[in-house]
Amino acid sequence: MRSVRGRITAAFADAGVNGSLHALDIDTGREVEVGADTLYSTASLHKLCLVTTLFREAEAGRVELTRRLELPAGDGRSPGGTGVAAMLDPVTMSLRDLASLTVAVSDNAAADALWDELGLDTVNATMVKLGLTRTVAIEPLRELYAGMREDAGPNGPAALVDPAVVGRLRALDPNRSNRGTPRDLTRLLAAIWRDEACGGEYGAGLRRVLGLQAWSHRLASGFPFDDVRVSGKTGTLPTMRHEAGVVEYPDGGRYAITVCTHSADTAAALPAADAVIGTVGRLAVDALRVR
């Protein structure tokens, strides 16, 4: 019988992607991995690090989650098609509600407001304190997208179907963009669910936020059951689709999973590449549950 690692690798190939996976039983420490230490550009996966830092800073008394920020309208707001990023008028919102939008609909404007509030150094220091030495942020989202526009050239986003243009995007190079590994991000999720990142009401509040994600076409697609809860965060850039999340079963089983993929196809819509994240997540969790 083919090993679970072999089945995961075959599933990636069938979907037309190169992929890596790290899955961890949060309570026993048992693991399944395929290329778990591969360095990836994290895209919006880094919002996990951001909201974790927010709740950890709040627990330490250095941030007040209910403090309200005004996000002005106009060009100063970070680009994006969801949440505050898509709105036309000024918005005033608390830090914890900005965190909710950052996860629920991957709102870039809400996330950048939090990056501005906390600072890159604070987020990176939090990751180091949690032992995640390969997870590093070098820029907020507004700078990441400004770099993509610059690299795309005069034809703008329309040029991102050209493999040669995509190939020169700094955002896709983990040595020149926000970065991390599947193993690091799974360990971060495990720390959150074990109350090691922050505890009590802050840990519960952070897990609540991570349970708000609206997208179900990636990791959650592998667990289509009413009594199985999936929390997590997606990350997307041209040719890259990721998700890091936690799957909780009604019998108490808890599994942290990170899947990162890269496709040679530059199409914006690749349903098979999205769905394989759920497929390999399910293969890994099934293997962990029968051991």
Side-chain angles (χ1 to χ4, degrees):
M1 180 180 294
R2 182 186 290 178
S3 70
V4 64
R5 296 181 78 252
R7 295 173 67 193
I8 290 169
T9 301
F12 281 139
D14 288 345
V17 303
N18 294 315
S20 298
L21 171 146
H22 187 237
L24 174 70
D25 185 321
I26 291 173
D27 298 298
T28 69
R30 288 179 297 189
E31 301 173 278
V32 173
E33 68 92 13
V34 175
D37 295 312
T38 304
L39 198 63
Y40 283 88
S41 295
T42 42
S44 286
L45 281 187
H46 229 98
K47 291 169 181 169
L48 280 173
C49 309
L50 177 65
V51 296
T52 299
T53 301
L54 175 67
F55 279 82
R56 191 175 167 97
E57 290 294 292
E59 183 182 39
R62 293 186 286 267
V63 167
E64 176 55 60
L65 290 173
T66 58
R67 192 165 77 79
R68 299 174 70 83
L69 297 181
E70 180 172 330
L71 281 64
D75 294 339
R77 187 175 291 174
S78 302
T82 60
V84 174
M87 296 177 182
L88 301 178
D89 299 316
V91 172
T92 301
M93 193 173 293
S94 70
L95 296 180
R96 63 183 176 185
D97 282 346
L98 288 167
S100 293
L101 281 180
T102 294
V103 172
V105 292
S106 204
D107 184 338
N108 291 334
D112 273 345
L114 296 178
W115 281 115
D116 293 343
E117 185 73 10
L118 297 168
L120 291 171
D121 289 346
T122 302
V123 176
N124 286 332
T126 298
M127 296 303 104
V128 170
K129 289 173 183 173
L130 293 172
L132 311 179
T133 58
R134 302 192 70 196
T135 301
V136 180
I138 67 167
E139 57 190 355
L141 290 159
R142 70 172 69 86
E143 293 180 14
L144 184 149
Y145 283 102
M148 286 181 62
R149 288 193 297 272
E150 181 179 333
D151 293 343
N155 292 328
L160 295 179
V161 296
D162 182 342
V165 173
V166 171
R168 66 174 182 246
L169 295 180
R170 285 167 286 175
L172 304 187
D173 182 351
N175 294 307
R176 297 193 292 171
S177 186
N178 298 343
R179 55 187 174 267
T181 68
R183 189 186 304 277
D184 257 14
L185 293 166
T186 300
R187 289 175 59 197
L188 172 59
L189 289 166
I192 293 168
W193 257 256
R194 291 172 181 152
D195 269 351
E196 296 168 356
C198 54
E201 64 179 289
Y202 299 97
L206 176 54
R207 290 189 291 274
R208 171 190 167 275
V209 165
L210 296 179
L212 297 176
Q213 180 175 239
W215 320 138
S216 59
H217 59 308
R218 292 186 181 168
L219 184 60
S221 69
F223 305 88
F225 311 111
D226 289 342
D227 58 352
V228 175
R229 178 179 175 83
V230 180
S231 305
K233 182 71 200 76
T234 57
T236 308
L237 285 170
T239 70
M240 289 187 173
R241 291 162 176 79
H242 311 322
E243 184 156 359
V246 169
V247 179
E248 298 175 272
Y249 278 72
D251 63 4
R254 307 184 298 174
Y255 309 91
I257 306 162
T258 301
V259 183
C260 297
T261 73
H262 177 256
S263 171
D265 193 330
T266 59
L270 288 175
D274 290 314
V276 75
I277 292 174
T279 299
V280 299
R282 176 70 178 277
L283 288 170
V285 168
D286 284 352
L288 290 171
R289 286 177 65 79
V290 300
R291 287 181 181 177

